Amino acid sequence: MSNYFEDLAHSVIAGQQDRVKQLTQQALDAGTDPVEIINQGLISGMNVVGARFKVGQMFVPEVLMSARAMNGGMELVKPLLVGQELPSAGKVVLGTVKGDLHDIGKNLVGMMLESAGFTVVNLGVDAGPQKFLQAIKEHKPGVIGMSALLTTTMLSMKDTIEVLKEEGLRNKVKVIVGGAPISQDFADEIGADGFAPDAASATDLCKKLLA
Ligand code: B1M
């Protein structure tokens, strides 16, 4: 079976959605545990994609192909998980900050997190402090992740952190930030718990913060 999982992981890395679906179906027909298919085949492949993306060996279009391939397999497996709790690495509330409509990078972060087994609550774009606050109260995440692509909107991250402090929630949730104009210095300055320069690093950071 380990060769089969390797084959599945390689097909995810290669972005071959049809092959991933075929292999997933074969494994299900053979009675393989759906959780094993996810962890040892699908997620294991996406972990390699994340690592390669981080060091510039894979690029955004290839990552999107791999994610699409992985989702093809997930669609077959998920209905069989009803009643079974899919192990979650933790919950992350993710959004692009107030006034900012850029969501390609943020969605890539969301996909990578989901691929690594996190539960992601995606607030979409133009998410102000109150929206993050409500989502924290409702979903009780371990981490909130804010994305900004404009120098004019990045200060909204600071506003959100201030609101969390006012509400007494700052110590209950880790805050990570990212996006093209964001740096580690800026993250330190506004009192975030971490900064990630890319989607794969964001996943590593969440794992570290929730360990
Ligand atoms: Co806009 N735009 N845009 N734009 N746009 C930029 C960002 C800009 C740099 C272009 C430029 O002038 N060279 C510039 C910003 C300048 C600045 O502030 N310094 C700019 C501008 C000015 C604008 C408008 C103001 C233009 C106008 O209307 N006059 C306007 C603003 C609208 C608004 O938001 N209110 C605008 C609009 C748009 C579109 C709607 C047309 C479109 C967005 C479509 C969409 O997202 N659905 C758009 C696009 C596509 C871009 C560029 C071309 C590409 C951005 C992108 O998707 N990159 C961009 C120029 C560029 O970057 N070359 C530009 C690919 C993506 C994968 O990368 O988002 O950086 P990125 O995400 C990375 C990392 O940053 C990181 O991981 C991702 C993957 O590795 N990351 C995180 C991101 N979020 C993270 C969160 C994390 C951790 C890591 O933790 C939570």
Side-chain angles (χ1 to χ4, degrees):
M1 193 44 80
S2 72
N3 267 351
Y4 159 78
F5 285 133
E6 262 173 41
D7 208 0
L8 185 54
H10 279 131
S11 305
V12 169
I13 298 164
Q16 296 165 332
Q17 192 192 43
D18 288 346
R19 179 82 180 133
V20 168
K21 281 184 174 173
Q22 188 192 7
L23 287 168
T24 304
Q25 193 57 56
Q26 272 175 20
L28 289 172
D29 292 345
T32 314
D33 179 356
V35 176
E36 272 187 35
I37 297 177
I38 293 173
N39 288 337
Q40 295 185 45
L42 301 171
I43 290 186
S44 149
M46 271 314 277
N47 283 342
V48 175
V49 173
R52 290 189 184 170
F53 176 64
K54 204 166 155 180
V55 296
Q57 285 174 356
M58 281 180 84
F59 300 98
V60 172
E62 294 161 296
V63 175
L64 294 175
M65 293 277 287
S66 293
R68 189 171 150 266
M70 189 195 82
N71 285 332
M74 288 297 274
E75 274 165 28
L76 296 173
V77 173
K78 266 191 178 163
L80 304 172
L81 292 170
V82 180
Q84 259 194 69
E85 197 61 29
L86 186 61
S88 172
K91 195 181 276 183
V92 182
V93 162
L94 194 62
T96 301
V97 298
K98 191 170 181 336
D100 202 320
L101 303 177
H102 296 85
D103 66 357
I104 297 169
K106 182 262 298 168
N107 288 342
L108 204 56
V109 172
M111 264 168 26
M112 285 273 188
L113 284 169
E114 280 181 346
S115 306
F118 286 89
T119 304
V120 175
V121 178
N122 195 332
L123 300 183
V125 297
D126 195 20
Q130 290 302 323
K131 196 159 182 183
F132 278 101
L133 183 65
Q134 287 311 317
I136 291 169
K137 287 180 178 168
E138 187 181 342
H139 300 286
K140 302 189 174 40
V143 177
I144 66 162
M146 291 184 275
S147 176
L149 263 283
L150 299 172
T151 44
T152 48
T153 58
M154 54 198 266
L155 278 176
S156 175
M157 294 173 165
K158 186 173 192 298
D159 297 342
T160 301
I161 290 176
E162 291 308 321
V163 168
L164 296 189
K165 282 184 191 161
E166 284 162 21
E167 295 280 331
L169 288 171
R170 180 62 189 93
N171 294 331
K172 299 210 177 340
V173 67
K174 302 289 183 192
V175 178
I176 69 163
V177 291
I182 311 300
S183 63
Q184 183 64 56
D185 282 351
F186 178 73
D188 293 342
E189 198 182 308
I190 63 170
D193 295 297
F195 155 75
D198 56 65
S201 307
T203 306
D204 292 344
L205 182 59
C206 287
K207 283 182 188 161
K208 195 173 123 200
L209 290 172
L210 294 180

